[in-house]
Amino acid sequence: MNIGRNDACPCGSGKKYKKCCGHHSVISLNDLVAKEVVDLQKQITNYAITNYKEEIEQFLDNRLKNAHVPEEFMEAYSFLMVNWYISTNKENGKAIVERFIDQRLHTVKRPRVQSILKSWVDAKPAILKVKQSENNQLQTEDLFTNEPVTVLTFNEARHVPTDSIVIGITIPYEDQVTFYTLYLDIPPTFAPTFIQTIETWMEQSGTQNPTEYIMNSYPEIVKYALVGEEGPLHQDEIEWSTEAHKEIAQLMEGKVAETLDPKLAVPVGISLWYDYCEKENPRPRNKGVYAGALHLLIEKLVSPTNVSTYKQMGELYDASASSISSRMKQMEEVLKDSIEKWNQKLEDVKEPVHN
């Protein structure tokens, strides 16, 4: 017997079928779909680990090498990085999640679940402001566009307070979204600071497209959400790409400590040199040229009214003054975003006392 949704319910309650027994069948179907969606996420992770283990391990090794994530946060950070790689990395043409869809879509029997799975090619990182939290559903707004986004969390036991921030890889779920396996929530007390920092970072990046910015900066955003502001860097904490890079860091550190407050100047110098090495991967012939140029950049940041001349720096590092001048200008251009970040951090710091 076929029963229309507006027909009287055959149970005899006097209510329409859609308001009575039909209502329970709809809920049951939604629960089944949700269960299958959660199971598909687990299948994708297992598929990735089984078929792309070496690729993922290599990515993770490179990502963690200089991440300086405290041990207590390492498991969560690693898991979120793997999620990011699986769902969005398209270095080989397609993300791993897309390859899973190509190979396994035909095994999904329910058309509704098939449609949801196909839409996961649009997976992307997101930062969302929580406006309302109820059961397993979050009413949120995109941090940058303020567009409303309804998020299904599938975990009624986890309460996310209003005015929190949630971060993770979002995947479509019909007209809503859900997070791919794991997400972070930033409590309301820290949310304003977090938002201000991320907005500043995006402005400094020069990127106008929020989606592009979050996609490229997701590792740094996740680390900040987990750890907060990073403490001072020391050259011994970093695994340098080449021995020459390390030797320049050591040379700079020793000379800077002679003339500036090392507690302030050394972390600035190490941070700038590491950023420069990551961007340029230099092959220095004269280490003194690079160390001298870096030293001048540090002085301009932490002691702007008492900057050495190129000649003085050349004598200090046994290098040509003109070579140091040229290299400093080139480094200044490459590091303009990093320098601006340090300028903001140091704006309240008075000029350090020279020895």
Side-chain angles (χ1 to χ4, degrees), residues 51-68:
N51 294 280
Y52 301 97
K53 182 179 179 181
E54 290 185 6
E55 183 180 317
I56 291 172
E57 287 180 346
Q58 181 63 49
F59 158 78
L60 203 54
D61 285 345
N62 291 337
R63 175 55 56 185
L64 298 179
K65 184 167 58 177
N66 289 306
H68 307 295

Side-chain angles (χ1 to χ4, degrees), residues 120 122-128 149 151 168-172 177-180:
W120 289 358
D122 295 324
K124 62 181 181 181
I127 306 175
L128 306 170
V149 181
V151 182
I169 306 295
T170 56
I171 48 179
V177 302
T178 188
F179 286 111
Y180 177 64

